[in-house]
Amino acid sequence: MTDHSPVTPGASEPVLVGRYLVPGHDNELLPVSQRELVATAHFIQDVLESFAFPMGTPILVASTMDQAAHFYPLEQAAMVMNLVVCNAEPTFFDANRVESIIRRLDPRAIIGVSVPMLEGLMASGHAPDILFAGRVIFADPAAHAQLAGKAGFILRLWMEVGPALAIECNHGRGAHIDDREWLLEVVEGRAHLTSRLPRACDFHGWPGPGMSGLDAAACPCGLAHRRVKP
Amino acid sequence: MAEYSRYLDEQVECMPRPALEALQAERLRSSLPHAFAQAGLLRQVWGAKGVHPRDIRSMADFQALAPFIDKDDIRVYRDRHDDPAGGLSNVKPPLLKGIGFTSGTTGDPTPVPRAARTPYDTATQRDIWELGARPGDYACRVMFTFRYGQSLNRFLHLGVKPIPFELSARELPRLFKASLQYRPTTLSLVSNGLILAMEETLDRLKLDPLDVFASYRGVLFGGEPLGGRQRALARDWGLDMFETTSLGDVIGTSDCRAHQGFHAWEDYALVECLDPETGQPVADGEIGEMVVTSLVPDVTSLVRFRTDDLIVLDRSRCACGRTHARIRLLGRRGDQMLVAGKSVMPRDVWPLVEAETACRAGLFQLIRPARQVDILRLRVGYEAKACPFAEALRQRLSHSIEAVLQVPVMVELVDNADLLRQGPPHKIPRVTKQ
């Protein structure tokens, strides 16, 4: 890890301000460039294509606006892939909408599953594992831990690693992180990110969440991106 | 810095009424066959009346012949045909890109199909411009995602840099931090509840609102009417508040700097103000039901959609220079009560409730078992922890509301938190059967 500031102004013009998680601290508001949004969308598309969802497949995207730096590119990627995005929020209060969308539109995948969503579903009498049956469930680390071991659906990890995103492909052997964009080091069980390409702000050893490991072995999906596990 | 025009689309926003009406007629002529082809509900309703788009040769034909549809028609079609779009769209991928949902305040959320680029996005850009955002500016964006997803294109395509936040009071410290750090020029969208939470959070963090909000040229408010207390608070903070609402689900509609009603972008939508009973037009300045027809191609086709909104329409030129009609929204027709023969709407009750400090959140419901009742029953939210003398509060409320509305009133007090559980997180149903 570097000993200078973990973030400095970059060369690219910002187009929005994103919210990035900083473990143990308040979230940071940092600018994002158009190139970064496009690169994130391409990365998400690469990972989602390993599932071979047919054109027109409905997917449920559960996000809040503050997650735009990652979920706006997801929606752009889904449009390019001709998937149909149905929207809800991953909150306790919006769990009824999640149930309604699943019942009426039968989405093949649900992206952005969180613990508050699971709690909201259970509080309104819906067992998540029954609702999720037969679907691909992309859950954040806390929700992933709650759902692990339950049968009937395909559970995959969707994880914010500070400004980066880590997503499990169809093969489920750890969450890919975009190696073109990020140099990721795991030091004493904690991720540290350094940006490789021009950004609205450059990252130098930005502190991410705890990581149990980094896997550089080839993935059957064919993506070169290394994989992390929380 | 570049100098920009007062208007985003000056030629259209300020076009003379005859030219605007000619444009509407042309767009209606070209859009009707498209709507008819893609909407099973329209074919069903028009077929039942023996009407076809080829019968519509003029605006007068349209007003004389075109049947109405309403939300119940859409729900019935949806359930009978197992069609999530309620018979308003047969558009499939790749044109169909997403399905958003209404808030679900009064029932199961209604799906709203969308394409990659929506009229809502492009029309809303005029409102963002009027708020004061210009290319290069930062704009705080507080919004839910269930309706339009991560709806940032309306900003990005203008060159305005959004700072997005979840619609939640817990975001406010970051919103204030962003306001001081990035000096945004606009904020959209705030609610009554969020303004009250702002007051508490500013106080708790010991922040000076005049400093925090110094860069804002305009703040967009929506979801329900802006309460008087909240309007006064915003004024004290130096904020120019603009209200917004939905123009029958075709596009949004917001007021301008003159604050003389919501501007309906009439190149996008034909707005009629009709007598709810006869379906005949009422004169400008008189109360009628808003009926909306989409004039631009979209994945859903609303034609003569009865919104249930009671409005007053004004087609005179606005002080801002625009020629598009302005709407004064009075409330939902289905919310109107006749109490001992006197009309009462939620808007009539609002200022009387929020005038009490313990009820400043403005949370209340009209109990409406029938349209006509003898006594106005109200369920009013209050801050139970901060108000030990609830019975005295209940009596004060009853007396003040009776004195102003001149109808018999029965008030039931409930804790704000309990009332908030009656609806989705962003707003509560203002009228309920029990």
Side-chain angles (χ1 to χ4, degrees):
Chain A
M1 182 184 170
T2 54
D3 58 1
H4 50 73
S5 173
V7 58
T8 54
S12 300
E13 178 71 17
V15 293
L16 72 83
V17 175
R19 184 275 291 138
Y20 295 140
L21 298 178
V22 188
H25 295 82
D26 285 342
N27 301 330
E28 283 281 346
L29 289 162
L30 293 170
V32 181
S33 69
Q34 182 65 29
R35 190 204 65 77
E36 292 164 55
L37 293 176
V38 173
T40 304
H42 288 172
F43 168 67
I44 293 169
Q45 184 180 346
D46 286 346
V47 178
L48 290 186
E49 280 180 345
S50 71
F51 294 88
F53 297 128
M55 183 178 96
T57 299
I59 63 168
L60 169 53
V61 173
S63 71
T64 45
M65 281 303 291
D66 59 301
Q67 297 175 295
H70 295 136
F71 279 84
Y72 173 79
L74 163 62
E75 293 187 1
Q76 300 300 302
M79 272 199 248
V80 170
M81 296 170 73
N82 286 315
L83 305 176
V84 178
V85 172
C86 312
N87 295 105
E89 302 207 333
T91 60
F92 183 92
F93 294 105
D94 222 28
N96 282 338
R97 187 184 316 278
V98 170
E99 184 279 329
S100 169
I101 291 171
I102 292 172
R103 172 169 37 90
R104 287 154 66 175
L105 300 170
D106 193 22
R108 177 79 181 91
I110 305 174
I111 302 177
V113 172
S114 68
V115 169
M117 179 202 287
L118 297 177
E119 290 173 347
L121 287 171
M122 287 185 284
S124 50
H126 303 292
D129 48 342
I130 293 174
L131 279 179
F132 294 168
R135 309 177 201 284
V136 183
I137 303 301
F138 292 91
D140 69 21
H144 189 279
Q146 281 200 11
L147 293 168
K150 294 191 186 299
F153 53 88
I154 299 167
L155 180 62
R156 293 292 178 264
L157 189 63
W158 174 281
M159 180 169 54
E160 288 186 40
V161 185
L165 197 56
I167 318 168
E168 274 190 311
C169 70
N170 193 24
H171 298 276
R173 297 183 181 186
H176 289 281
I177 194 158
D178 190 342
D179 274 335
R180 290 188 178 179
E181 291 289 321
W182 302 104
L183 173 62
L184 183 127
E185 300 166 284
V186 178
V187 181
E188 296 175 349
R190 182 160 297 283
H192 293 277
L193 284 162
T194 298
S195 51
R196 298 179 61 204
L197 296 176
R199 303 181 73 87
C201 52
D202 297 324
F203 295 85
H204 319 277
W206 175 272
M211 291 285 173
S212 62
L214 186 60
D215 189 349
C219 181
C221 74
L223 289 176
H225 307 300
R226 291 180 297 169
R227 285 158 285 141
V228 296
K229 285 188 176 170
Chain B
M1 185 181 144
E3 283 292 322
Y4 294 101
S5 162
R6 162 87 167 73
Y7 312 96
L8 182 62
D9 299 320
E10 182 167 359
Q11 278 200 317
V12 176
E13 293 176 45
C14 301
M15 74 196 314
R17 287 291 313 178
L20 180 57
E21 285 163 14
L23 175 65
Q24 288 186 307
E26 171 55 25
R27 286 196 166 173
L28 184 67
R29 189 194 62 73
S30 62
S31 64
L32 265 184
H34 165 78
F36 199 75
Q38 78 169 9
L41 174 60
L42 289 187
R43 292 195 298 277
Q44 176 186 294
V45 171
W46 285 48
K49 298 278 185 187
V51 183
H52 190 276
R54 64 176 164 266
D55 303 326
I56 310 294
R57 297 184 186 85
S58 66
M59 198 61 86
D61 287 344
F62 179 74
Q63 287 168 340
L65 299 174
F68 300 108
I69 58 171
D70 62 22
K71 210 164 215 173
D72 285 341
D73 293 328
I74 296 168
R75 285 181 177 139
V76 167
Y77 193 99
R78 179 189 75 193
D79 296 341
R80 192 168 290 166
H81 297 267
D82 192 23
D83 174 3
L88 296 176
S89 176
N90 62 3
V91 174
K92 302 279 188 291
L95 287 177
L96 179 66
K97 294 297 187 188
I99 301 175
F101 294 84
T102 59
S103 67
T105 311
T106 55
D108 212 9
T110 304
V112 185
R114 64 171 183 262
R117 184 166 179 257
T118 70
Y120 220 111
D121 268 336
T122 52
T124 299
Q125 287 180 320
R126 289 183 191 157
D127 302 325
I128 293 169
W129 193 269
E130 179 65 8
L131 270 185
R134 295 292 181 270
D137 287 355
Y138 287 95
C140 282
R141 171 77 166 153
V142 184
M143 182 50 82
F144 42 76
T145 61
F146 54 76
R147 184 65 185 264
Y148 292 104
Q150 294 283 345
S151 50
L152 299 181
N153 284 342
R154 59 190 69 170
F155 294 92
L156 297 175
H157 295 172
L158 278 178
V160 174
K161 296 177 251 191
I163 312 175
F165 298 91
E166 182 185 357
L167 183 49
S168 162
R170 67 170 174 263
E171 288 274 61
L172 291 175
R174 285 196 316 115
L175 174 69
F176 299 152
K177 184 178 171 188
S179 300
L180 292 164
Q181 181 178 352
Y182 291 97
R183 287 304 187 189
T185 52
T186 63
L187 167 60
S188 60
L189 181 84
V190 299
S191 60
N192 283 311
L194 203 65
I195 293 174
L196 290 175
M198 282 178 169
E199 183 187 24
E200 291 167 8
T201 310
L202 286 163
D203 197 40
R204 179 166 50 83
L205 298 178
K206 297 184 172 32
L207 291 170
D208 176 3
L210 291 175
D211 181 25
V212 171
F213 299 129
S215 57
Y216 286 100
R217 298 183 191 128
V219 175
L220 199 62
F221 176 96
E224 51 189 14
L226 175 59
R229 189 175 183 283
Q230 285 82 340
R231 186 185 294 278
L233 265 178
R235 193 185 309 122
D236 289 347
W237 297 341
L239 295 176
D240 193 359
M241 301 296 286
F242 295 67
E243 290 192 73
T244 189
T245 189
S246 169
L247 196 68
D249 287 339
V250 174
I251 54 172
T253 175
S254 307
D255 65 343
C256 66
R257 279 185 189 276
H259 301 298
Q260 293 177 354
F262 299 108
H263 272 283
W265 299 123
E266 291 182 275
D267 52 327
Y268 282 85
L270 176 68
V271 180
E272 299 172 88
C273 185
L274 305 179
D275 183 310
E277 305 303 326
T278 66
Q280 294 303 305
V282 302
D284 281 15
E286 291 184 8
I287 297 173
E289 182 181 1
M290 180 163 72
V291 176
V292 179
T293 298
S294 173
L295 293 176
V296 288
D298 195 7
V299 295
T300 55
S301 299
L302 284 169
V303 177
R304 286 208 121 183
F305 175 62
R306 295 184 73 142
T307 63
D308 196 45
D309 287 326
L310 291 177
I311 61 164
V312 173
L313 200 60
D314 183 351
R315 280 174 276 215
S316 66
R317 181 184 286 270
C318 179
C320 72
R322 294 181 178 88
T323 51
H324 294 238
R326 279 159 292 138
I327 292 165
R328 189 156 58 86
L329 189 60
L330 304 177
R332 288 195 173 276
R333 186 174 165 237
D335 288 351
Q336 188 182 41
M337 293 181 74
L338 290 175
V339 185
K342 193 166 191 291
S343 170
V344 176
M345 302 281 279
R347 270 170 197 259
D348 301 325
V349 175
W350 212 299
L352 307 169
V353 167
E354 66 175 18
E356 284 285 347
T357 304
C359 305
R360 61 188 182 145
L363 296 172
F364 67 90
Q365 292 180 314
L366 277 65
I367 315 294
R368 186 182 188 267
R371 184 163 181 257
Q372 299 190 35
V373 294
D374 296 326
I375 299 176
L376 175 61
R377 287 180 55 210
L378 291 171
R379 183 175 295 131
V380 179
Y382 77 117
E383 293 169 33
K385 283 181 191 163
C387 180
F389 306 109
E391 178 55 23
L393 170 65
R394 195 189 67 75
Q395 288 187 22
R396 273 203 312 277
L397 274 170
S398 299
H399 292 152
S400 65
I401 296 169
E402 272 186 4
V404 173
L405 299 185
Q406 295 287 299
V407 296
V409 174
M410 185 186 297
V411 171
E412 170 199 358
L413 286 178
V414 294
D415 189 10
N416 279 343
D418 292 335
L419 204 47
L420 281 169
R421 288 192 200 103
Q422 304 276 322
H426 314 296
K427 57 182 179 179
I428 61 167
R430 293 293 174 178
V431 177
T432 178
K433 281 191 175 171
Q434 53 188 5

